[in-house]
Amino acid sequence: QACLPSHPCDTMAKRQKTENGNCKKTFAMADPYQWPYNGDLRTSNTALIIIDMQTDFCGKGGYVDMMGYNLSQTARAIEPIKALLALARELGYFVIHTREGHRPDLSDLPANKAWRSKQVGAGIGDKGPKGRILVRGEEGWEIIPELAPKEGEPIIDKPGKGSFYATDLEMILQQQGIRNLILTGITTDVCVHTTMREANDRGYECVILDDCTGATDMNNHDAALKMVKMQGGVFGAVSDSVKIAGALKEAASS
C-alpha cells in the first residue's frame, strides 16, 4: 500500500518506509492518545511553537509581576522549554516563537482589553519597571534571554491571545509543510490554549506539554490540560518534554 501524504502541503515529501513497504510510524506517549494520531512524525512536518516567553509574562517587573501573581508559576516552563528547544534545533525541527504586544500608539489595542488591564493595576501601555507594558519594542515585551530566537526562527508578533489571529503564522506553517504542532509557553489557559484551539480548527495535530507551560493560577493550568483530554482529545493531546524528546529523536533517526 502506498504511503500517501497526510495533507496537500506534503505532496513533495517522502514518507519513511519499513522493509516491508509500510509507512514508518513514530508516536510519543501522550494522553488521551499516542501523538500524533497517525504516527506521521517527521522533522519536515513538525514544529515546536514557543508562545509568549516574554519578560512581561515571566520576568521581574513585567506585566504578570505587576499584577501581583507568583512568577514561579509561569517561570516553571523556562528550563524544560530550554532543553527541548536545544534538542529541536540539534535535530533540525522547525521552531517558531510568538510575542504578544501592541503598537506604540496602541491603535491595535481594543478598548475593553485596555480597561480590564487597568482594573488589575497594570494598564497596557502604562509605564512600568520594564518599559511600557505589553508594548512592542519595550524591554518587557522582549523574549527572555534564555529562550532567545536564533537567526532564521520566525517570530510571530500578535496583538491578541491566539497566535493565528492577525498574524502570518498559518502562511508560514503552510509554506513549511507543517502539520504537527508541539505547543509550549505561557500561559497555559490563555495564549497557549487559544492557539491550540485555533490550530485544531485548522486541522493541525496538536500536543501541549505539561512541564513546558505554566499559568498565573495552577488550578487554571490543570483545568486547561483536562479540557484538552476530554472527548477523546477534543483539541489534541497532552504530554511532557521527556516523552516528546524521545519521539523527536526516534523520528529524526529514521
Side-chain angles (χ1 to χ4, degrees), residues 236-254:
V238 178
S239 189
D240 61 46
S241 61
V242 174
K243 296 182 180 75
I244 288 295
L248 295 183
K249 290 176 186 176
E250 181 182 343
S253 66
S254 298

Side-chain angles (χ1 to χ4, degrees), residues 159-224:
K161 309 307 181 189
S163 299
F164 287 86
Y165 171 70
T167 77
D168 55 2
L169 174 58
E170 188 164 22
M171 177 65 72
I172 291 171
L173 295 176
Q174 288 177 351
Q175 291 302 308
Q176 295 296 323
I178 300 299
R179 299 310 307 153
N180 303 320
L181 301 180
I182 301 167
L183 294 159
T184 68
I186 50 182
T187 59
T188 321
D189 52 324
V190 185
C191 293
V192 182
H193 221 263
T194 302
T195 299
M196 188 176 200
R197 289 168 179 245
E198 290 179 324
N200 177 70
D201 281 350
R202 289 165 170 80
Y204 292 96
E205 172 64 352
C206 301
V207 65
I208 185 172
L209 305 189
D210 186 346
D211 60 334
C212 290
T213 50
T216 53
D217 183 312
M218 289 308 292
N219 289 325
N220 288 352
H221 170 84
D222 293 339

Side-chain angles (χ1 to χ4, degrees), residues 226-241:
K226 182 178 179 181
M227 288 179 198
V228 173
K229 294 184 282 187
M230 298 298 290
Q231 301 173 40
V234 66
F235 304 123
V238 178
S239 189
D240 61 46
S241 61

Side-chain angles (χ1 to χ4, degrees), residues 8 19 28 44 52 93 107 113 141 144 152 154 156 196 222 233 239:
E19 290 182 1
S44 61
D52 298 0
Y93 287 90
S107 59
K113 184 177 181 181
W141 166 80
I144 60 174
I156 305 298
M196 188 176 200
D222 293 339
S239 189

Side-chain angles (χ1 to χ4, degrees), residues 6-186:
S6 58
H7 186 269
C9 292
D10 289 338
T11 52
M12 299 303 293
K14 293 181 180 179
R15 296 279 303 277
Q16 294 289 336
K17 294 185 180 182
T18 59
E19 290 182 1
N20 63 8
N22 293 327
C23 296
K24 171 81 166 60
K25 297 188 181 216
T26 304
F27 296 96
M29 293 302 297
D31 190 9
Y33 61 87
Q34 293 184 102
W35 184 88
Y37 79 100
N38 58 2
D40 185 13
L41 180 62
R42 293 174 276 126
T43 56
S44 61
N45 74 345
T46 302
L48 171 65
I49 300 188
I50 303 173
I51 296 171
D52 298 0
M53 292 302 294
Q54 302 159 252
T55 298
D56 267 333
F57 295 116
C58 61
K60 286 286 187 184
Y63 181 44
V64 166
D65 191 29
M66 289 187 67
M67 286 191 285
Y69 291 111
N70 182 352
L71 284 179
S72 67
Q73 296 182 159
T74 53
R76 72 189 286 271
I78 295 173
E79 290 304 316
I81 294 176
K82 185 177 178 181
L84 189 62
L85 174 59
L87 177 67
R89 286 169 170 166
E90 176 187 342
L91 297 176
Y93 287 90
F94 196 59
V95 176
I96 301 172
H97 306 260
T98 78
R99 292 181 294 209
E100 181 181 347
H102 295 278
R103 295 173 179 268
D105 64 2
L106 304 183
S107 59
D108 59 351
L109 175 63
N112 58 352
K113 184 177 181 181
W115 180 86
R116 291 168 189 157
S117 68
K118 291 183 183 297
Q119 306 314 300
V120 290
I124 295 172
D126 291 350
K127 190 72 175 176
K130 297 295 182 180
R132 296 176 68 204
I133 296 169
L134 278 185
V135 169
R136 296 178 182 180
E138 299 289 337
E139 184 180 356
W141 166 80
E142 295 288 355
I143 293 170
I144 60 174
E146 298 96 317
L147 301 174
K150 283 192 172 181
E151 185 176 353
E153 294 175 353
I155 304 171
I156 305 298
D157 284 316
K158 59 192 185 66
K161 309 307 181 189
S163 299
F164 287 86
Y165 171 70
T167 77
D168 55 2
L169 174 58
E170 188 164 22
M171 177 65 72
I172 291 171
L173 295 176
Q174 288 177 351
Q175 291 302 308
Q176 295 296 323
I178 300 299
R179 299 310 307 153
N180 303 320
L181 301 180
I182 301 167
L183 294 159
T184 68
I186 50 182

